[in-house]
Amino acid sequence: MARGLETFLTALALGLLSGGPGVADVLLRDFSVCAGRYSALVEHQWLVDGPASEQAADRRDAMLELVAAVMPGDMAKTAMGWRVEAKAAQGALLSRAYFAQDAVAAKRSAQLLQACADLIGQS
């Protein structure tokens, strides 16, 4: 089992067993933020590398499924807010990295996206 998926399942099981909404909130935030990051990547890749956007869209969709799996009904607006903020931030990093040839922005963008990929056991 991939390490990211293993970590997710362990955290989910602990949260469900302990009845701890705090764990669910952390997972919801992580998955929502990653869905936003991948949404930004999809839009960026439509502009600069169309075919690559399919993989990013698949990852975004996986994150959205995880969001739906852990989201209590009263957190929908909060989750969408996290997603929108992350999308805007990631979009700005991607634009700066690509158009301004900013190596620091490119590195940070890659790190953030890798952290999301690690959550779902992707490379």
Side-chain angles (χ1 to χ4, degrees), residues 80-103:
M80 182 58 75
W82 289 328
R83 185 175 168 196
V84 168
E85 288 173 6
K87 180 179 177 182
Q90 188 71 33
L93 278 174
L94 290 165
S95 291
R96 184 161 178 85
Y98 186 79
F99 295 110
Q101 297 293 303
D102 184 330

Side-chain angles (χ1 to χ4, degrees), residues 90 93-94 97 102-114:
Q90 188 71 33
L93 278 174
L94 290 165
D102 184 330
V104 173
K107 182 178 179 180
R108 184 64 181 143
S109 174
Q111 289 170 335
L112 293 170
L113 290 168
Q114 185 59 54

Side-chain angles (χ1 to χ4, degrees), residues 8-108:
F8 162 70
L9 292 175
T10 301
L12 183 60
L14 289 173
L16 293 176
L17 291 175
S18 69
V23 173
D25 290 350
V26 170
L27 292 173
L28 178 60
R29 180 172 173 77
D30 288 347
F31 297 150
S32 297
V33 165
C34 286
R37 288 178 184 157
Y38 280 124
S39 292
L41 182 60
V42 168
E43 290 181 7
H44 177 76
Q45 288 176 332
W46 284 341
L47 181 65
V48 301
D49 184 9
S53 67
E54 291 179 26
Q55 181 184 41
D58 289 343
R59 290 182 178 187
R60 178 205 55 216
D61 293 345
M63 287 296 169
L64 290 174
E65 288 179 22
L66 292 170
V67 166
V70 300
M71 182 168 43
D74 62 340
M75 293 288 291
K77 284 185 179 181
T78 301
M80 182 58 75
W82 289 328
R83 185 175 168 196
V84 168
E85 288 173 6
K87 180 179 177 182
Q90 188 71 33
L93 278 174
L94 290 165
S95 291
R96 184 161 178 85
Y98 186 79
F99 295 110
Q101 297 293 303
D102 184 330
V104 173
K107 182 178 179 180
R108 184 64 181 143

